[in-house]
Amino acid sequence: MVLCLVGLPIMGWHSSAGVRYFGVFLVTAGANSNIPATMSYQANNIRGQWKRAFCSAILVGMGGVGGIAGGLVFRAQDSPGYEPGLYACIACCLLTIIIVCLITLRSWSLNKRADRGEIELEYDDGDQKGFRYTY
């Protein structure tokens, strides 16, 4: 997401076409690397085969919704600058960074409580104890 946050303003507002293409590469690298990172973050932090499969399906489905939203925020009447679309992308990048930070802090806090024996994380009857969130 940091690559996207750097690349979006370059891609959207720099005067040189060559530099704008560099911004496109940054945005593409950032966006494409987020897919496996998000899938592994989600899969590592959910216990149980069926819960993990359901959450993976929801995650992939929401990725499709992102494509639909992209078609709605980059409107023809906003050309050639497409500023509302660029602002929407920047806002989504910032929101994603904030959400990941909050989830990481919450996971760290729950792991500490589990290490002290106060709670058991993601415990099902058939699963072994000792699960910890990864971040």
Side-chain angles (χ1 to χ4, degrees):
M1 280 298 155
V2 173
L3 284 175
C4 289
L5 278 176
V6 171
L8 280 165
I10 294 171
M11 181 182 73
W13 293 292
H14 200 279
S15 59
S16 168
V19 175
R20 290 177 87 160
Y21 281 123
F22 173 69
V24 170
F25 283 109
L26 289 178
V27 172
T28 303
N32 286 337
S33 65
N34 283 328
I35 297 165
T38 303
M39 293 292 286
S40 63
Y41 192 80
Q42 170 263 315
N44 284 333
N45 288 303
I46 295 176
R47 190 169 220 179
Q49 176 181 350
W50 293 109
K51 274 197 325 188
R52 188 177 297 128
F54 180 75
C55 289
S56 293
I58 294 294
L59 186 63
V60 170
M62 289 297 108
V65 171
I68 294 169
L72 296 174
V73 297
F74 286 95
R75 305 172 308 176
Q77 63 259 35
D78 297 329
S79 71
Y82 297 103
E83 288 188 5
L86 291 170
Y87 290 134
C89 289
I90 290 170
C92 286
C93 289
L94 290 171
L95 181 63
T96 301
I97 289 171
I98 290 167
I99 289 172
V100 169
C101 289
L102 291 174
I103 290 172
T104 300
L105 288 172
R106 177 73 174 153
S107 298
W108 177 79
S109 172
L110 289 172
N111 282 349
K112 290 293 182 187
R113 288 182 61 200
D115 289 342
R116 291 190 302 263
E118 297 172 7
I119 58 172
E120 185 65 40
L121 300 174
E122 296 281 330
Y123 180 71
D124 293 328
D125 290 334
D127 293 334
Q128 66 187 69
K129 294 182 178 186
F131 177 81
R132 296 296 181 268
Y133 294 114
T134 59
Y135 40 86

